[in-house]
Amino acid sequence: MTEPRKTAFNSILKDFAENVGKFYKGADVLAGIRDEDVDVGTTPKTLVMRRDKVKLFRYEPTVKRTVETPVLIVYSLVGRYTIADLQPDRSLVRSLLAEGVNLWLIEWGKLGRAERWLTMDDYVDDYIHEAVHRICRETGHDKVTLLGICQGGVFTTCYAALHPEKVKNLVLTMTPIDFHADIDDPEPSHGLLNIWTRALAPEDIDRMVDALGVIPGELMSLIFSLMTPMQALTKYNVELFDIAGDKDRLMNFLRMEKWLADRQDHPGAAGRQWLKELYHENRLVEGRFELLGRIVDLRAIDVPVLNIFGLDDHIIPATCSKALGGQIGGTDYTEVPFQGVGHVGVLVSSKSQGKLAKSIVEWLQPRDG
Amino acid sequence: MTPSSDDQPEFSQMLLRMSEMWRSNMEQSEEVGKLWFNSMMPFFTMRAADSSLFAAAQGGEILKTIKRMVEGPHLADMCNLDRQVYALMAAWMDVGQRMAAYHAIASVPWSKAYERYSATLAGTKEGDAKDFGWRKAFDKWRDIANKELISNLRSKDFLAAQRELLLAALDLRTCQQQMTDSVAKLLGVPSQHDFDELTRQFTELRREVRASIRAQRDEVEGAGGVATQPGKG
């Protein structure tokens, strides 16, 4: 029997047949998944302290300890920490535990309008300080290593500058320091958040916080979707269609969706500081940022610093993170750029798995004594 | 039994006639107001609901009229809730206009993407065209559209339209909240404002208590609360 001629029409028919098959397979896989199967943040941990909605957890060790100094993960107020523990094979938490790290987590809780008056001062000088104090009491150490993620990295940077006596090492991931350095990033898709914020007047931000009380999680979700327009438009059709037949990829997609949907409100007072004093006025890198009446002087950071960022990060351009290098007082400063990886990709992409935790632990071990 | 006006002294009769006249005038004003409201509301509602560019162009005068009514002097005991309704209406119409302007600017990159994509197809060589299946075509289209959309997101026009839309939406939200708080007051239930004030006081009190506890703890632990950087002031 002769092969059919390779024509455009035959090619379309072949594609159509394959796609129909894919559709039915995908529908089958999806039908077998329940919402409770889509579990995130499942690594076992123990509640050690609760302070308002904030909780301090200690993760259960999985192997013999190789890094003794406790490492406290401090996440952002935008989104939940569960992105750092998305699923067993995409989890910074599990990877660090597997490398023998004494790991702790401060969890901000599901924030709402009741938290509208909380400031960055409260988060840095009360919640983080009390967590560090409690960890030291529980472990017998007098210092901890802080691992800050995104805005959590700004919190830990401020804490390290204000309380260097409590900090052993500082690890930052995707952390903005110079909020105007996006102009040095040539990629057009990077730094939209910086541009959009600077397009508002300071009084516009005041109006937003006064009117809404908080920066709503839904608004943040909308903004992040706008920053990747075509991805947002094709996510639930073309892209979902491609992966639906592969259960592992589909579960990864669904877990990301669960994390994306779990977006709490950002306290209004802290949001005002974040947008006006940092995004607008860039006070941190200029040495004018104050918490509780004290200047956050980056030169006071004389502890070892590890600065990790994604070179394809469109939310916190790499140039904004790299700016820390010239600012701190200490000389032990290391950068680990991740190529081809975006903002959350540093934590969950297949390119960074293993490499991220290894980079951190290999850096921590000689600085543990 | 209600005494008749004939039994009252002359001054009291005058008062009674005046209050009767006042009552009648109020009833007539109410009727006139209702007539005006019933005739204008469908028009306002239609305009407010129409978010097309045409409406954006036509709604400007109506919006200005309503805003003038809202921004006029306040009377102590009259029309406060009405004023809030009109303010809400004006805010809603404003959002409609800003949304139409935003959509106009947000739609520009799609036509640019189409032009670029058409040029790409026109430039595809015949041999390559046979392998240019729907998936490759879609990926090409997606890349071009994404670049045009991102470029638009950085443009001055987009930034201005986005800002105007945000401010209009915030005004609407503020008007909604004011109305809700007024209704809550009428019904005797706590309002959002009450809740915010309570949480503010609670947060400040908590700060003071915790600062005091921490100071005592630091003293006990010998840390003394000494700042490692010079404090400001």
Side-chain angles (χ1 to χ4, degrees):
Chain A
M1 179 177 159
T2 49
E3 285 291 316
R5 277 193 308 155
K6 196 176 175 195
T7 63
F9 183 67
N10 285 353
S11 174
I12 290 170
L13 277 184
K14 187 163 168 269
D15 267 347
F16 180 73
E18 278 173 8
N19 289 335
V20 167
K22 230 193 225 182
F23 175 80
Y24 278 110
K25 189 176 176 207
D28 262 346
V29 172
L30 205 53
I33 299 173
R34 295 165 304 167
D35 184 54
E36 61 203 56
D37 298 328
V38 184
D39 47 357
V40 296
T42 57
T43 303
K45 54 188 186 288
T46 305
L47 178 64
V48 173
M49 181 180 86
R50 189 200 303 263
R51 194 171 175 84
D52 310 325
K53 279 188 183 171
V54 177
K55 292 178 190 167
L56 175 66
F57 289 99
R58 177 181 52 224
Y59 279 102
E60 301 300 323
T62 58
V63 300
K64 189 167 176 280
R65 214 167 272 170
T66 61
V67 177
E68 291 295 333
T69 307
V71 175
L72 174 63
I73 295 178
V74 180
Y75 195 72
S76 165
L77 295 174
V78 180
R80 303 295 297 279
Y81 78 93
T82 43
I83 192 67
D85 188 23
L86 191 68
Q87 61 189 48
D89 61 341
R90 307 262 176 139
S91 169
L92 172 64
V93 165
R94 287 196 189 225
S95 302
L96 288 173
L97 287 172
E99 296 283 341
V101 172
N102 180 6
L103 198 61
W104 298 67
L105 168 77
I106 186 166
E107 202 234 308
W108 305 126
K110 191 85 176 173
L111 305 176
R113 189 128 183 173
E115 284 73 45
R116 75 168 283 188
W117 305 105
L118 290 175
T119 61
M120 285 179 64
D121 312 54
D122 295 311
Y123 280 96
V124 171
D125 214 59
D126 185 80
Y127 294 130
I128 292 178
H129 185 72
E130 290 303 313
V132 167
H133 189 264
R134 183 61 177 263
I135 294 171
C136 291
R137 209 175 79 191
E138 296 279 329
T139 62
H141 286 80
D142 56 4
K143 295 184 183 193
V144 305
T145 291
L146 295 173
L147 198 169
I149 302 175
C150 192
Q151 186 190 44
V154 176
F155 291 169
T156 55
T157 300
C158 293
Y159 187 82
L162 295 173
H163 299 281
E165 75 285 0
K166 301 301 288 181
V167 179
K168 181 86 173 169
N169 304 292
L170 181 62
V171 178
L172 303 174
T173 60
M174 310 103 73
T175 299
I177 300 294
D178 184 341
F179 289 75
H180 291 182
D182 58 291
I183 59 176
D184 298 326
D185 191 325
E187 174 53 46
S189 63
H190 295 181
L192 285 170
L193 197 53
N194 305 69
I195 293 171
W196 290 346
T197 311
R198 289 198 293 270
L200 300 176
E203 49 272 21
D204 298 343
I205 293 167
D206 287 330
R207 271 167 85 174
M208 180 170 68
V209 173
D210 292 341
L212 302 176
V214 295
I215 300 175
E218 295 84 355
L219 178 61
M220 294 306 307
S221 291
L222 175 64
I223 289 169
F224 288 129
S225 292
L226 277 175
M227 291 165 71
T228 52
M230 283 312 286
Q231 188 186 341
L233 287 170
T234 59
K235 188 166 74 154
Y236 296 126
N237 36 63
V238 176
E239 289 184 22
L240 185 55
F241 184 73
D242 275 346
I243 63 171
D246 181 334
K247 188 166 183 192
D248 288 341
R249 288 179 72 192
L250 182 61
M251 286 302 292
N252 178 245
F253 173 84
L254 291 173
R255 288 193 179 100
M256 279 296 299
E257 286 296 297
K258 184 160 255 189
W259 172 73
L260 283 167
D262 188 16
R263 215 179 273 288
Q264 75 269 18
D265 297 335
H266 189 294
R272 214 190 290 262
Q273 290 171 291
W274 181 249
L275 294 175
K276 287 177 74 175
E277 296 179 26
L278 296 177
Y279 265 92
H280 261 198
E281 299 172 32
N282 208 17
R283 287 189 189 185
L284 180 63
V285 80
E286 293 180 7
R288 297 183 294 119
F289 186 57
E290 279 186 38
L291 291 177
L292 285 174
R294 296 165 61 193
I295 293 284
V296 178
D297 185 359
L298 296 177
R299 287 167 302 160
I301 299 175
D302 58 3
V303 299
V305 175
L306 176 65
N307 194 3
I308 301 170
F309 44 85
L311 292 172
D312 279 348
D313 193 334
H314 66 292
I315 297 174
I316 308 294
T319 45
C320 295
S321 298
K322 283 168 72 72
L324 182 64
Q327 302 292 329
I328 57 173
T331 53
D332 187 349
Y333 173 77
T334 310
E335 282 183 3
V336 178
F338 275 74
Q339 189 77 36
V341 157
H343 192 64
V344 295
V346 171
L347 296 174
V348 299
S349 86
S350 50
K351 287 182 195 171
S352 62
Q353 290 316 300
K355 185 183 169 193
L356 175 62
K358 265 196 167 27
S359 304
I360 293 171
V361 173
E362 281 171 4
W363 183 86
L364 278 177
Q365 278 166 344
R367 296 165 178 83
D368 194 34
Chain B
M1 181 176 134
T2 312
S4 72
S5 59
D6 292 340
D7 297 331
Q8 299 293 318
E10 203 171 296
F11 184 71
S12 302
Q13 287 177 35
M14 187 170 69
L15 278 178
L16 277 170
R17 278 199 288 277
M18 280 172 69
S19 63
E20 178 57 36
M21 210 177 351
W22 178 251
R23 188 190 61 76
S24 167
N25 285 344
M26 288 305 294
E27 276 176 4
Q28 283 175 22
S29 299
E30 202 183 318
E31 286 306 314
V32 166
K34 274 189 195 161
L35 274 172
W36 180 87
F37 189 83
N38 289 340
S39 66
M40 294 307 286
M41 267 313 287
F43 179 66
F44 285 153
T45 312
M46 188 179 69
R47 275 280 157 260
D50 186 352
S51 59
S52 67
L53 270 176
F54 178 75
Q58 296 292 313
E61 284 305 313
I62 297 164
L63 187 53
K64 275 187 203 161
T65 308
I66 298 176
K67 277 185 175 173
R68 270 200 299 273
M69 287 162 53
V70 169
E71 289 162 9
H74 291 213
L75 299 174
D77 301 317
M78 284 183 66
C79 303
N80 290 320
L81 198 58
D82 306 62
R83 185 186 302 279
Q84 287 181 342
V85 170
Y86 295 141
L88 185 59
M89 202 180 307
W92 186 19
M93 291 176 71
D94 202 24
V95 168
Q97 289 192 329
R98 306 291 176 192
M99 184 74 79
Y102 178 88
H103 280 152
I105 289 166
S107 63
V108 165
W110 292 107
S111 47
K112 283 187 181 171
Y114 174 72
E115 284 169 18
R116 277 184 58 188
Y117 182 65
S118 303
T120 304
L121 287 180
T124 305
K125 292 182 186 145
E126 195 179 319
D128 295 335
K130 280 185 185 165
D131 295 326
F132 202 60
W134 78 266
R135 195 51 208 254
K136 274 189 189 169
F138 178 77
D139 288 344
K140 188 77 192 164
W141 158 251
R142 183 170 55 186
D143 286 343
I144 291 171
N146 199 53
K147 284 192 173 77
E148 289 299 331
L149 286 164
I150 299 254
S151 173
N152 192 47
L153 291 175
R154 300 174 77 94
S155 68
K156 280 190 184 148
D157 287 345
F158 177 84
L159 294 175
Q162 184 172 247
R163 177 173 179 254
E164 293 296 318
L165 178 59
L166 173 68
L167 294 179
L170 291 174
D171 276 344
L172 176 62
R173 187 70 190 88
T174 302
C175 291
Q176 285 172 337
Q177 195 58 63
Q178 282 169 352
M179 263 219 67
T180 310
D181 284 356
S182 293
V183 171
K185 197 170 175 186
L186 281 173
L187 297 175
V189 298
S191 67
Q192 182 74 76
H193 178 80
D194 295 330
F195 178 78
D196 283 345
E197 185 52 33
L198 202 61
T199 52
R200 187 188 63 78
Q201 291 180 25
F202 180 73
T203 303
E204 286 176 7
L205 183 64
R206 190 172 57 193
R207 275 190 199 124
E208 285 178 34
V209 168
R210 284 179 175 169
S212 174
I213 292 172
R214 185 162 147 185
Q216 288 172 28
R217 183 186 71 194
D218 287 348
E219 201 176 318
V220 165
E221 288 178 358
V226 174
T228 52
Q229 289 184 61
K232 187 170 164 63

